[in-house]
Structures are given as structure tokens and as C-alpha cells.
Amino acid sequence: MWDHEIRAMASTHAIIAASVFMATVLPAVFVPGFSVYGTHLLWLYSASGAVTVVSVAVFWLLGITPPAKKHTLGYKLSRLLRSCLYFFLSCLFFHAVVVLYGAPLIEYALETFSLAVLLTSLTTLRCLCVLGPNVQAWIRVFSRHGAMSVWDTCLQITVACTVVGAWVGAFPIPLDWDRPWQVWPVSCSLGAMIGFLTGLVAAPAWIHYHRKQLTYKCK
Amino acid sequence: MKVRSSVFASFILISEVVGIALFLRGFFPAPVRSSLSSKSKLSDLPSEPLTGSSPNASRLPPPLFKRVVVMLVDALREDFVFGPGGRRYMPYTRHVVERGSSQSFVAKARPPTVTMPRIKALTTGSIPGFIDVVMNLNSPALLEDNLIWQAKTAGKRIVFYGDDTWVRLFPKHFMEYDGTTSFFVSDYTEVDNNVTRHLDSTLKRDDWDILILHYLGLDHIGHISGPHSSLIQPKLLEMDDILKKIHSALISKEAEGSLPYLLVLCGDHGMSETGSHGGSSEPEVNTPLVLISPAFKRKVGLEKPEVVEQVDLTPTLALGLGLPISQNSVGHVIPGVLEESSLRDQLRFLHLNGHQLSCLLKDSMPDYEKEAGFEQFRVAEKAHGSWMKLYLEGNTSEVLTNMGKKVLKQYLEALAAMSSALSKQLGKYDMYSMIAGMVFVFQLLLVLLLAMPEALSGEAAVDLPVLSVLLSLPFYLLCLLLASVHVLVCTSAESSCYFCSLSWGLVFAAVAFSSAMFCILVSMATRRLPLGPKIHGKSPLRSSGSEWSLSELDVLLLAGTVGHTLSLAASSFVEEEHQTWYFLLNTLCLAVFQDVCRKYFREQRGSGDEEEHILPSKDCHPTAHPKAEICSEKWLALATPPFTLVCCRLLRSLNQTGVQWAHLPDVGHWLNSSEHRMVLSLLAAFCLVLIYLLVQRRCSWVSKVALALGLLGVYSYRAAVGNVWFPWQHSGRTMSKGTVEARFVYVFVLGILFTGTKDLLRSQIITADAKLKSRGLWEIYSGLVLLVSLLFRAHNLPVLCCSLLIQTLMAQFIWKELHYDAAQTTIMHYWFGQAFFYFQGNSNNIATVDISVGFIGLESYIEAPAIFLTALSTYAGPLLWACHLVCYLSSERDKSPVAVGHGCYCLALLRSVPAAAYIVLVTVLRYHLFIWSVFSPKLLYESMHLLLTAGVCLFFYTMEQSHSSIGVVAVTHLDRDNLSVD
């Protein structure tokens, strides 16, 4: 059951994880003075850019993205535009949530927004890739027993891992250790990235071990 | 014996309070005190040691100084004088320090760095225990042996100007005094001018021996705007001018042949980077100590000042003035001061100091003879005796001088060793009492945990096997065992122990109670085990039978409670505990938001619209009124969690607390600055109106009127105190204490509480009317709100307002609609209560307790109401939320009759888990560097909170009792009868 999907998922995730790795290593070679802590924003954008590009490409190639109902160019364009709009809205949403959690409103606005961009590219972008700009489907996937395919379950796991990772990443901020990774937003973005990578590993593994129990009602 | 959950929970909490009290008594050491209650007298002084012949003179050597001026500047930090900015801030002082005949030191103050304990330390030379701060919010007369008393007894004439704490500590000691109150922190010029205005005439006169000046302005500036504010420099320059004035007056008065003067400049404590004090950080502890006298050698440049203890000043001044050193002084004389006197006198001074310290050591330590310092002192005393003998024989050789120098050195070493031994004595813990208290608390906690399935069952009653336990053999064996352990420990203990000093009856009661609890624990555990091995350990919130599923919210609530308890182990997390609560609260709101979304959006899917967009207006439009209502309700429900989040974010920036980010500018400071008084007035008025609107809904009309008038009274009180503008106030009135206005409000508070109680009693006795009862409860709640709105500072009124708003919205749209059960609702209330505790500006530091609240409506300090008001305003957040919980749960009674019992049980559990965990943590970390500055204040906060929760649980109990039908009582009786028959 689901063997084919699990294999596809594992390889996809391997590619995405590799892209994150490359996004960390390559700038270190080409940009002088690059480090994850020191030039954190640069790392952050390179990682989220790499994840964005690779996910879009991989999911498009795999054909998981739900097929467009109409094949006109205009419809496709509007879908693309809507996706971009959702992407941007999600950035704003994450930014708002992080500010509500206590991030300074004005002082570190750029840092906070960068974190929001990272979180968006790790979570919302996957949703866009797998489900398309379809809010109804999103609500379905994220309600209690709403998963309808292996990919939905995988989406649930990775998104939850990423968000929990970022959440856990905020824990060490009040400690007075004065470490470089306690600077805002390093711990949170690292937490999110580690959570995401964990999710990438955990999702196929979990599905593999529970493949007997998994039953999905069809649409 | 079957008892209801609320009775059970209240009983457990009250017993825990007793256990914690015992723990606290063991943890906070009693200060080092001489057992004799008398004071040192001149006649008691030891004679000069002299081997071979009878002691000749027990007289003191002649005093070194004729006149002493002590200029105490509150919160004078060491770097204000010795630091790089010192030359700019205090040019004259700096010149004297560098070039004049002076001695300068850095005096280390002991925490708590609060004015009153520091004054006590400076005058008695003892180190007031931590608990003294809490016990003595009031400062009654100081009865201990102290420098001022000694001086007065010796006939010295003392003049005092400054902080009136001194006047209260030493009534009738001063020949002339003028005390200024530090009542209005915003005033930093008047308080100092009140001191300085007497200076010119006093300095001209000759009829005094000691002049003490205590300047408060600098401390006030620190509290307002911190150590880097622009107000600091002018204030320090003013202080510098005063010092110059005093110094020149003293120089001009000095006559040839008479004894020299001594001018002391010191600070009682420093000031942290945020301008507050109370803790033990370097800038708070280090204060400058400059002694200026022609008796000292002239300096030739700035040397790095030596570090001494603050209490060292006391014996130095006492010896310098020719007075006996006060009995409990643990300091040792500063050797530099004595340098210019003869070797014989120097040795004599050191001998006197050593004798006093050794007496104190004898009194406070059972095995004083093993102490290294004591031994050294004996040796030095002997050497002193033989030196004296040689000296009196007229020997004046080089050998004698060298020998004297050696004796001097021995004395100094002995003094330092004895002084540090005595200081260490303060850090000794009474482990037996601590462990006994801890065992109590843990037994109770385990019983509480084991009773969970029963207490949260539909019956909400716990079956405690008390009778069977009391008649069982293990109980008596255990009693015997514990009693013998107690005897064994107490007879072999070397240091004093509080638990051992208790009377036998009390100890036996404690032993019997403890063994009974242990037997109950065991029997409950055995009963629980076969029943369901699955529900074991930290059992679930709602265990329904053997299978239990936790929703995300439950996981969050459990993980949050456990995580918060664990986080208390790190000092940073204790310092920044507010961050933990804000973080958890935010997550809670988001989780609730997710629940709400699920509820409303799933329904929509069921209704079957497949379209991508889910505009709600779409399915609202076609239908008629009821559907529209549902729709608006849905949107209100959806909007509530985000609204709560926004509220919390705003409140969070109102008061910056904690340590790391406390210096950041916050809205509260902005509002309190004088140029924004208009905004503050409008905000306060708006909040009061909103409070009225939110609270009055469920009150009777009498209470409505009383509430409106009361809130008006609150505003006029704030206007009278000078926090807000009065619309019809034309001329700038002088600030008053607003006693009349505050009392006006108190009358209405009492009125509302009375109406509420009357309604409650009527609902209970005459008619079993649920409506009347809930109205009565709400009236009591509104009385509390009115009282809190009077006690809160004007800029904190939004906190109260937001809490009411959130309570209303949450109760209306979330807790009811989403069918959260009593346990979940209780945990949420508790979390909100905790977060609001910090929103109102509290922290885990004693310094943030606003003591001025205790004076509202009172002409002078009266202990009981002041403590009550302070506690109420400090814990206003948790109390208001707990009261709201009672109101909410009893209004939900028709749905689930046992909700109040469940709520009470959960509250007890939520409070006792962190309290019990924390006392273990504190015991483990008792040698941690931050134990006194971070962990002990938190311990006091925890115990106080536990006490208050016990009170709240009793309130729960009465509420439940009044409602419980006679049936339940009958069942309980029946059960008991059955048991006894068995």
C-alpha cells in the first residue's frame, strides 16, 4: 500500500533537504564572511529561496499539484497570481503572529518579516504546491480527520513540525547566556528549519510504519 | 469517608500552606542575634589584656573624633563618585578623594538593597535577614542595640534631617529632627530642599555632636528615569555643593587642640542599570564610602578604593566616637581609620572589636571554639597581653614596635575570620525543618494527584479511607517510627532547629498527621492500581474510563503546566517568568482560535458548499433573523481569540518587567510623564466607563448606582493625588493624599459587597433561587473590581479593563460555545490570571511590590489594612480571574452540577504542583549564586500565592456548599454510616 507514493515522497524530501544543505554551503564558498549567525538574513533568504524553487520544481515535475480545471492560459495565470497573493498574505499573517508573540513592532521589523518569509516558504508554499490556491482544501486538510491522501498526511506532519520547531526555538530567548544564536530571530528560524528537516524525515517514516492503518476516504 | 472535591481540595491546600510555612521558617535563617536582650554598656567592656598583673583600666581609649557628620545619599552608586564620570558629577568630592585628607572605600551592601534594612545594617552593624524586609513594611522602633542608642546614652547630641524612616526607627533619639516622607516618588527636589534648608543654621551652631543627613532625591530620580538620565548630573552636583558647604563649615569651626571632625559620605545602596534596587547585582550593591577628616593622611592621587563591607562602618564609627560597639554588629573596624593613633590605642580598639565579635560568635554558634577566627583571637589577645606588659615596663625598643605590628596583624586576621564566620552563619539552613515541610507538602500533593479520577468524576467526591487508616496497625507503627526519628534528629542536631523547638503536642500532631497521610496515600494507591493500570502517574485531565484521548488543547494545557514548572529551575526563567506566561497564553489563544475555526468551518463543509471561497455573507443573506444571529455570533466567536491576542500584546508593552528588558521604554512610563497627563486622564476615564459598562450588566440597580458613584470616586481620587486632570480644576491645587475620596470609594465597595452577601444569603436560606445567587456572586465580584480599580495606578486601569473585556467575550463566545469542561476552563483561567499578574507590572522581584497602595485612604500606616491592600493589589490579576471562574462555573451549574467542585480541585492542583516542585528546586539550589536575589523572592511570591489560592478554594467551597442539595449530604452520611458499620 502506498509504496510508490512513499518512495516518491522520500526522494522529494531528500531533494529538498539537499537544497537546504546547498543553500547553506554554497554561499559560504562564494560569499566572503558568510555564516549562519553572522549574516543570518542572507542565509535565511538563500535557504527559503532554495526551498521555494526546489519545491515548486519538484512538485510540478511529479505532478502532485491538482490539475487545473480549465486549460486556458488566463486561468493558469490567475492561479499563479492567486498563489503569489496567498504567499504574500501568509507572510503578513506569520509576521502578525510573531509580533503578537512579543516581537518588537518597529525595531526588528525586517528580521521579523524575514522569519515570516522563511516560515511561509516552509509551510504555505508546500500547501500551495500540493493543494493549489484552494482555501477549502486547506481547511479540509487541517481539520481533524481531513487527510485524503498520503500527501495530505505528509503535509500535516511537515507543517506541524515546522511550526512547533519555530515555537520551541523561542524558548532560549529569555536565557541570559549572550550566545550568538540567541539574537532575534536566529533561534526561531533555526528551530523552524530543524523542525522542517525533521518533518521531512519523519513524514515518510511515519507513513511507512503506519501504512497498514492508513485509510483514506475518497473524494 | 467521602468528602466533596472542593472540601478535599481546600483541606489539602490549607495543610500545604502549613507545610510551606514550616519550610520557609527553615529556609530563611533567623538573623544572628546575641541571646542577651540587653545592650552593650561601658561598664561591661573588657579590660585591656595584660599578662601577669591585675587588669588596670577597663576604660575606652579617648575618642578619635569630636564631631561626626554623616551624609547619606540614597542610591548613591559607587561609580557616581569613583567612576570615570565622577569628576563631572561630583568635582569637589572627587578632589577631596584624590588630594585631601580622606579615606575612600567601596562599601558592599548586602541584599536586599532596600533603604530600611540598609539603615538598620548601618546602625546596628548586623545584617538584617531577608525576611525582615517582608516583616517590616512598617518600620517600628528599632529595639536592637544600635549606634544611635549608644550615642544618645553616652550623652551625644544628635541632629537628623532626611528620610523619616530614621525618625520612626529611632523615636526620641534625636535632639532635633525633620523627617521627609518619600511618599511621592515623582518629587525629587522638594525632598532634598527640605533637608538642606536646615543646614546653614545647624552648621553655625555648636550644640550638636552628630549630624545625620539622608537625601532621597537621587533615589527618586533613579526610580523615575534610571542612572543615565539627564536629571542625575544636576542632582549629583547639588549633593557635591552640599558636601563642600559642610566641609568648609567644619574646617572653619575647627579649633586648635580639640579633636578633629569626621565627615562621612555614603550611600545606603546603589542603583541598577534600570534605576531600581533591591537585588544583588554589582551596581546595586557597591556604594561609595568616603571618610574625610584632618586626622587622615593627605592623599597624593587617586588610588583604587579598597572594598569593605557596609556594616564595617558601624564599629568604626562607634570606636571613633568612643562608644561601645553594638552587640549584634558583625563588621570589623576599618584599619585605615585608626592609622594615626598610637599603637597602644590601635591594639586596644582592635581588642574591643574582637571581644565583641567573639561574644557574638559564642552566642550564635554552638561549636564556636572550633572556629579559626576565635582561636586566632585568643592567640592575639595573649600576645597583646605580653606586649602590654613590655610596654608598661617602659620598653621602647624597635622590637616592641615590631611585636606590636605583629599583634596588630594577628588581630586583623582574627577579626576578618570571625566577621566572615558570622556572615556565613546567615547562610545556614535549618535542613530538618525544610525537609519536614517538604515531606508534608509532597504527601499532600501525591494524595491530591491520586484522588484525581475520583475528584473529577461525575460525583465529584473523594473517598478518603480515614477511619480504616486510623484503626490500622501500620499507622501506629509509623507514628512510633517518625517520633523516634524526630527525637533522634533533635538530640543529635548541632545547630538550632525550629521544628525541634516546637512544643511536644504540636510535634506529635504533625507526626500523627504525616503518618495518617502516608497510610491514606498507600491505601489509595493500592486501590487505584488494580482498577486501572493505565491511569497511573500524571493521569489525564479527563479520564473517562480506561481510554482517554487528548485534544491538541489538552496537550497544550498539560505540556504548558509541566513546562512552566520545569522552567522554574533556571534563574533566567524565574527572572523572566512573565515571558513564559505571555508565550503560553498566546499559544493558548491560537489553539482556541484553531478550535473555533474548526467548529465553524466544519459545519459549513457539512452544509455542502464545494466552492473555493467561503464567504460567510453568502449563507447569511438568504435566511432570516435566527440565521443572521448565528452568523454574527460566529464572527464574534471567530474574532474573540485574535482580539484577545491583540489585547495581550498591547498590555505587554504597558509595563516592562523582569530583568533583561526592564529598561526598555514602556507605555506606562510614557503615560506617567507629566506632559502626557492629558492622555492618561482620558485613558483612565475611558477605562472607568468601560469597566462600568462591563460590570453593571448583571448587577441589581442598587449596586449599579453604587458602582457608578464608586468609579467616579476612583477618578476623583486619582485627580486629588495628582495623577490625572480634573476637568473643573482651574488652579494647580496642591497634592493631597486623597484620603476623603478613597474612603468615599471604600464605602461603596463595602456597600456592594454587603448587597452581594445579602443576595447570596437570601438565595441560600429563603429561596433556592439560582438567579439571585448568581447575581449575588456577580455583585461580590463587582465590589472586588471596584476596589481593585481604586488600588491600581492610573496607567494600569487598561489592564483591569482588558481583563474584564476578555472575560466577558470568552465566557460568551468561547467557553460556553465550545463546551470546554470545568478542568479546561479552570486551567485557562489560571493561565490568564498568571499573565495578568505580570501585565500589571509585577515581577518575581520584591522591588516591584507597590507598597504605596497600603496608604490609600489611610492617614498613617496601619499594619493590617496596609498588608491586605498591598496583597490585594499585587495579586489582583489571579484573584479577579479566580473570582470570575467561580461566577462562571456556578452560572454553568445547570449544565454540570459538579463544575464548581471540579474547578476547585483543578485550581488546587495547578497551584500545588509548581509550589511543591519549587521548594524542592530551592532546596537543591540552596548554594546557587542567585539564591537570595532571584530564587528566594520567588519563593515568597509562590507561598503568598498558595495562601491566596487556599482562600479562593474556601470561597469555592462555600459556593458549592450553599448549592448542594440535601441529597448529597444525606448520601455522604449514609456512606459514613456504612463505613463505620463495616
Side-chain angles (χ1 to χ4, degrees):
Chain A
M1 264 174 121
W2 315 111
D3 280 341
H4 175 69
E5 274 93 344
I6 293 172
R7 229 169 287 138
M9 191 186 296
S11 43
T12 317
H13 285 184
I15 294 170
I16 295 174
S19 78
V20 172
F21 179 71
M22 294 309 277
T24 313
V25 173
L26 280 186
V29 178
F30 293 115
V31 181
F34 175 88
S35 75
V36 174
Y37 302 150
T39 54
H40 185 69
L41 289 190
L42 187 61
W43 172 79
L44 203 148
Y45 280 115
S46 91
S48 50
V51 170
T52 310
V53 171
V54 171
S55 320
V56 169
V58 165
F59 282 107
W60 184 64
L61 283 177
L62 268 178
I64 303 205
T65 319
K69 280 176 194 157
K70 294 172 219 162
H71 287 280
T72 56
L73 186 71
Y75 184 74
K76 277 184 180 165
L77 255 181
S78 89
R79 261 174 77 100
L80 186 68
L81 273 180
R82 252 201 345 243
S83 301
C84 292
L85 180 70
Y86 281 6
F87 188 88
F88 183 66
L89 283 181
S90 144
C91 287
L92 286 185
F93 171 75
F94 276 117
H95 187 94
V97 169
V98 173
V99 167
L100 286 177
Y101 261 102
L105 188 60
I106 301 156
E107 209 177 330
Y108 290 103
L110 180 64
E111 280 84 351
T112 311
F113 192 73
S114 311
L115 177 65
V117 169
L118 180 73
L119 283 171
T120 305
S121 60
L122 297 186
T123 57
T124 315
L125 189 83
R126 267 178 91 80
C127 297
L128 282 172
C129 289
V130 176
L131 304 171
N134 177 348
V135 177
Q136 201 58 43
W138 292 22
I139 290 171
R140 170 178 61 75
V141 169
F142 290 106
S143 55
R144 192 152 294 178
H145 299 291
M148 281 198 202
S149 73
V150 181
W151 288 103
D152 289 356
T153 315
C154 163
L155 199 62
Q156 286 175 349
I157 295 175
T158 44
V159 168
C161 282
T162 313
V163 172
V164 170
W167 188 75
V168 171
F171 285 1
I173 295 178
L175 293 171
D176 55 356
W177 296 346
D178 292 330
R179 296 296 154 86
W181 46 265
Q182 278 180 303
V183 178
W184 178 249
V186 178
S187 62
C188 277
S189 48
L190 283 185
M193 187 48 91
I194 291 167
F196 178 67
L197 293 176
T198 318
L200 289 185
V201 176
W206 191 85
I207 292 169
H208 179 75
Y209 285 110
H210 291 79
R211 62 185 183 280
K212 297 273 158 39
Q213 288 97 313
L214 281 179
T215 47
Y216 297 110
K217 54 183 176 190
C218 293
K219 269 187 190 178
Chain B
M1 197 167 87
K2 256 200 165 80
V3 287
R4 272 176 294 127
S5 299
S6 57
V7 184
F8 174 67
S10 322
F11 169 73
I12 294 274
L13 269 188
I14 291 170
S15 321
E16 270 179 8
V17 168
V18 175
I20 295 241
L22 183 62
F23 178 86
L24 286 182
R25 186 60 182 74
F27 184 77
F28 291 110
V32 176
R33 290 260 156 80
S34 163
S35 54
L36 303 165
S37 57
S38 64
K39 301 179 175 171
S40 316
K41 289 189 201 98
L42 269 176
S43 52
D44 296 342
L45 285 178
S47 53
E48 214 164 355
L50 179 63
T51 34
S53 69
S54 60
N56 56 348
S58 70
R59 61 156 196 101
L60 275 172
L64 297 174
F65 309 108
K66 179 163 169 274
R67 279 181 158 189
V68 174
V69 179
V70 179
M71 182 176 165
L72 181 75
V73 181
D74 214 288
L76 187 63
R77 213 159 87 163
E78 167 260 330
D79 66 333
F80 287 160
V81 181
F82 303 133
R87 220 175 286 272
R88 201 155 34 88
Y89 289 144
M90 307 190 76
Y92 182 76
T93 316
R94 193 56 185 262
H95 171 78
V96 173
V97 165
E98 283 173 20
R99 305 272 163 209
S101 51
S102 66
Q103 302 253 1
S104 27
F105 306 94
V106 173
K108 276 203 177 298
R110 289 292 184 110
T113 44
V114 184
T115 300
M116 215 261 306
R118 287 342 320 139
I119 295 177
K120 282 191 178 173
L122 280 170
T123 51
T124 62
S126 64
I127 297 170
F130 194 85
I131 208 80
D132 277 18
V133 194
V134 189
M135 294 296 165
N136 294 308
L137 290 177
N138 179 18
S139 34
L142 187 65
L143 298 174
E144 239 179 283
D145 191 3
N146 61 67
L147 188 67
I148 307 290
W149 185 87
Q150 293 287 0
K152 184 170 181 284
T153 318
K156 305 266 180 201
R157 290 154 299 174
I158 314 168
V159 178
F160 172 77
Y161 302 115
D163 187 2
D164 71 341
T165 313
W166 286 78
V167 181
R168 273 179 283 151
L169 281 174
F170 309 105
K172 297 185 191 147
H173 282 60
F174 302 122
M175 179 186 82
E176 198 179 298
Y177 63 85
D178 182 19
T180 48
T181 4
S182 80
F183 199 76
F184 301 109
V185 172
S186 48
D187 159 38
Y188 49 81
T189 39
E190 198 69 11
V191 277
D192 287 354
N193 290 342
N194 280 348
V195 179
T196 315
R197 64 183 171 181
H198 302 286
L199 208 55
D200 283 324
S201 62
T202 314
L203 286 174
K204 276 192 197 112
R205 296 189 331 234
D206 270 328
D207 59 345
W208 51 267
D209 302 300
I210 301 173
L211 171 64
I212 302 172
L213 306 166
H214 188 149
Y215 283 97
L216 285 168
L218 184 64
D219 183 48
H220 289 187
I221 290 177
H223 282 298
I224 297 168
S225 50
H228 303 295
S229 109
S230 54
L231 298 170
I232 292 279
Q233 189 174 8
K235 178 51 75 180
L236 286 174
L237 281 174
E238 182 193 333
M239 292 296 120
D240 194 48
D241 275 345
I242 292 165
L243 187 102
K244 189 175 178 181
K245 186 193 273 179
I246 299 171
H247 194 196
S248 44
L250 287 173
I251 290 174
S252 70
K253 280 268 166 193
E254 191 169 17
E256 199 58 40
S258 74
L259 284 170
Y261 62 85
L262 173 68
L263 172 56
V264 182
L265 171 73
C266 60
D268 56 346
H269 51 74
M271 160 186 317
S272 68
E273 282 306 299
T274 61
S276 69
H277 54 87
S280 61
S281 67
E282 283 287 307
E284 281 167 276
V285 168
N286 288 344
T287 63
L289 172 62
V290 182
L291 307 173
I292 305 166
S293 168
F296 303 141
K297 270 188 222 140
R298 259 178 193 281
K299 286 281 163 58
V300 280
L302 183 67
E303 298 152 13
K304 202 173 156 39
E306 202 185 319
V307 177
V308 296
E309 289 281 332
Q310 198 180 33
V311 286
D312 291 346
L313 183 61
T314 320
T316 312
L317 279 183
L319 292 175
L321 284 166
L323 303 169
I325 302 171
S326 39
Q327 256 177 354
N328 298 330
S329 159
V330 298
H332 59 275
V333 68
I334 302 172
V337 177
L338 310 175
E339 252 165 24
E340 296 293 295
S341 51
S342 72
L343 192 56
R344 180 181 174 182
D345 282 350
Q346 280 190 48
L347 288 179
R348 175 73 176 137
F349 282 133
L350 291 176
H351 174 238
L352 285 172
N353 194 189
H355 179 78
Q356 174 262 333
L357 281 177
S358 68
C359 286
L360 187 60
L361 204 62
K362 259 186 219 170
D363 271 335
S364 54
M365 253 185 242
D367 53 347
Y368 61 93
E369 271 158 346
K370 285 181 205 142
E371 210 45 67
F374 191 77
E375 205 64 31
Q376 281 171 341
F377 176 67
R378 285 270 157 270
V379 173
E381 207 176 15
K382 263 192 201 126
H384 186 188
S386 32
W387 182 85
M388 273 303 289
K389 195 175 169 206
L390 287 178
Y391 178 81
L392 287 180
E393 280 163 8
N395 196 335
T396 49
S397 67
E398 188 76 7
V399 184
L400 189 73
T401 324
N402 284 341
M403 189 179 156
K405 290 246 170 75
K406 210 179 129 202
V407 177
L408 196 77
K409 221 176 129 203
Q410 276 177 334
Y411 263 138
L412 285 177
E413 276 166 12
L415 286 182
M418 281 197 287
S419 181
S420 78
L422 280 166
S423 310
K424 255 187 224 141
Q425 178 79 1
L426 287 168
K428 256 193 190 160
Y429 301 100
D430 176 2
M431 274 313 271
Y432 183 50
S433 306
M434 280 162 72
I435 288 173
M438 215 167 6
V439 168
F440 273 144
V441 172
F442 263 81
Q443 279 180 336
L444 292 162
L445 179 69
L446 281 179
V447 171
L448 201 64
L449 276 174
L450 279 176
M452 183 185 282
E454 284 177 58
L456 290 183
S457 67
E459 204 184 351
V462 181
D463 187 11
L464 287 179
V466 175
L467 264 184
S468 59
V469 156
L470 285 183
L471 296 174
S472 67
L473 185 64
F475 167 68
Y476 294 103
L477 287 179
L478 208 62
C479 269
L480 221 60
L481 183 74
L482 287 182
S484 54
V485 166
H486 179 76
V487 171
L488 203 70
V489 170
C490 286
T491 45
S492 64
E494 40 319 325
S495 57
S496 65
C497 162
Y498 176 72
F499 197 44
C500 293
S501 63
L502 281 177
S503 75
W504 273 104
L506 271 177
V507 170
F508 186 74
V511 163
F513 181 77
S514 175
S515 30
M517 270 296 148
F518 189 75
C519 291
I520 289 175
L521 196 65
V522 170
S523 83
M524 280 174 90
T526 48
R527 198 171 54 193
R528 197 75 66 237
L529 272 178
L531 192 128
K534 273 188 185 169
I535 5 172
H536 188 67
K538 280 229 158 179
S539 34
L541 277 176
R542 294 165 303 152
S543 56
S544 49
S546 56
E547 62 95 19
W548 43 281
S549 65
L550 294 173
S551 69
E552 286 96 335
L553 192 73
D554 290 334
V555 172
L556 172 69
L557 291 176
L558 269 183
T561 308
V562 174
H564 163 252
T565 308
L566 291 180
S567 79
L568 294 179
S571 62
S572 312
F573 280 129
V574 174
E575 279 174 346
E576 308 285 328
E577 201 192 341
H578 57 289
Q579 304 276 9
T580 315
W581 285 114
Y582 297 165
F583 192 71
L584 285 177
L585 195 67
N586 261 318
T587 315
L588 175 72
C589 286
L590 286 177
V592 169
F593 187 46
Q594 186 219 16
D595 265 10
V596 179
C597 284
R598 264 187 189 162
K599 176 181 153 126
Y600 286 105
F601 287 130
R602 191 169 43 193
E603 274 170 7
Q604 203 160 43
R605 196 158 58 95
S607 74
D609 60 350
E610 277 286 324
E611 219 31 70
E612 283 177 358
H613 55 293
I614 36 145
L615 276 177
S617 48
K618 209 182 148 201
D619 48 25
C620 279
H621 274 305
T623 41
H625 183 68
K627 192 107 191 249
E629 204 169 62
I630 290 172
C631 187
S632 71
E633 196 169 80
K634 166 186 162 179
W635 285 107
L636 278 171
L638 277 174
T640 302
F643 173 76
T644 312
L645 281 169
V646 173
C647 270
C648 293
R649 183 66 181 88
L650 291 178
L651 289 183
R652 185 189 172 114
S653 46
L654 189 63
N655 286 310
Q656 288 283 357
T657 67
V659 172
Q660 277 193 61
W661 293 281
H663 60 278
L664 293 181
D666 55 16
V667 183
H669 273 103
W670 185 84
L671 283 174
N672 275 330
S673 62
S674 52
E675 59 261 39
H676 299 121
R677 194 186 277 188
M678 199 61 211
V679 185
L680 183 64
S681 314
L682 286 177
L683 186 69
F686 173 73
C687 285
L688 289 174
V689 171
L690 201 58
I691 289 170
Y692 175 72
L693 290 179
L694 286 170
V695 173
Q696 52 91 27
R697 294 171 298 134
R698 288 158 65 181
C699 290
S700 62
W701 65 270
V702 181
S703 320
K704 270 183 202 178
V705 173
L707 189 70
L709 287 174
L711 289 173
L712 208 61
V714 171
Y715 191 82
S716 41
Y717 169 75
R718 284 294 155 201
V721 176
N723 291 342
V724 294
W725 289 115
F726 226 25
W728 49 88
Q729 173 190 342
H730 297 297
S731 58
R733 266 196 316 175
T734 48
M735 284 191 268
S736 75
K737 282 169 90 175
T739 320
V740 183
E741 287 87 348
R743 286 183 183 168
F744 179 75
V745 180
Y746 285 143
V747 169
F748 286 112
V749 170
L750 289 179
I752 293 175
L753 287 180
F754 176 73
T755 330
T757 323
K758 196 190 71 192
D759 279 354
L760 274 183
L761 286 177
R762 256 184 47 202
S763 76
Q764 224 177 97
I765 299 165
I766 304 165
T767 51
D769 185 2
K771 217 174 184 180
L772 196 62
K773 181 184 154 82
S774 78
R775 199 179 74 188
L777 257 177
W778 188 264
E779 273 165 354
I780 289 187
Y781 176 66
S782 53
L784 197 65
V785 168
L786 179 57
L787 184 55
V788 168
S789 63
L790 172 68
L791 300 184
F792 266 11
R793 301 239 175 147
H795 76 274
N796 267 342
L797 283 174
V799 177
L800 184 60
C801 199
C802 278
S803 106
L804 291 173
L805 203 58
I806 292 172
Q807 281 167 358
T808 316
L809 285 174
M810 283 290 217
Q812 192 99 16
F813 299 113
I814 303 290
W815 292 318
K816 260 185 209 151
E817 296 298 317
L818 295 184
H819 308 295
Y820 287 136
D821 62 15
Q824 286 169 322
T825 322
T826 310
I827 301 183
M828 287 190 217
H829 269 92
Y830 179 75
W831 285 20
F832 269 107
Q834 286 296 307
F836 272 85
F837 176 75
Y838 295 104
F839 281 145
Q840 61 184 80
N842 285 322
S843 71
N844 282 330
N845 192 336
I846 294 286
T848 50
V849 177
D850 183 7
I851 302 172
S852 66
V853 168
F855 291 90
I856 291 180
L858 302 175
E859 288 292 353
S860 62
Y861 184 90
I862 309 169
E863 193 152 3
I867 288 176
F868 172 75
L869 292 177
T870 312
L872 185 68
S873 93
T874 310
Y875 284 93
L879 274 179
L880 280 178
W881 279 89
C883 278
H884 183 264
L885 181 66
V886 182
C887 293
Y888 173 75
L889 288 180
S890 29
S891 72
E892 290 290 280
R893 181 179 288 281
D894 40 338
K895 267 191 217 151
S896 122
V898 288
V900 178
H902 287 184
C904 182
Y905 174 80
C906 286
L907 200 64
L909 191 62
L910 281 173
R911 194 77 281 283
S912 21
V913 168
Y918 194 69
I919 57 173
V920 176
L921 280 174
V922 165
T923 315
V924 173
L925 298 174
R926 65 189 182 283
Y927 297 116
H928 193 280
L929 183 61
F930 294 147
I931 189 74
W932 295 114
S933 57
V934 177
F935 289 108
S936 338
K938 171 71 183 156
L939 184 63
L940 291 177
Y941 273 108
E942 281 288 308
S943 354
M944 190 61 202
H945 196 181
L946 190 75
L947 185 67
L948 285 177
T949 314
V952 170
C953 275
L954 278 178
F955 185 48
F956 263 93
Y957 160 64
T958 49
M959 282 308 105
E960 196 192 33
Q961 190 192 34
S962 61
H963 230 268
S964 63
S965 52
I966 304 156
V968 176
V969 182
V971 167
T972 326
H973 274 287
L974 214 78
D975 269 323
R976 199 178 299 157
D977 290 349
N978 281 347
L979 253 176
S980 48
V981 167
D982 287 346

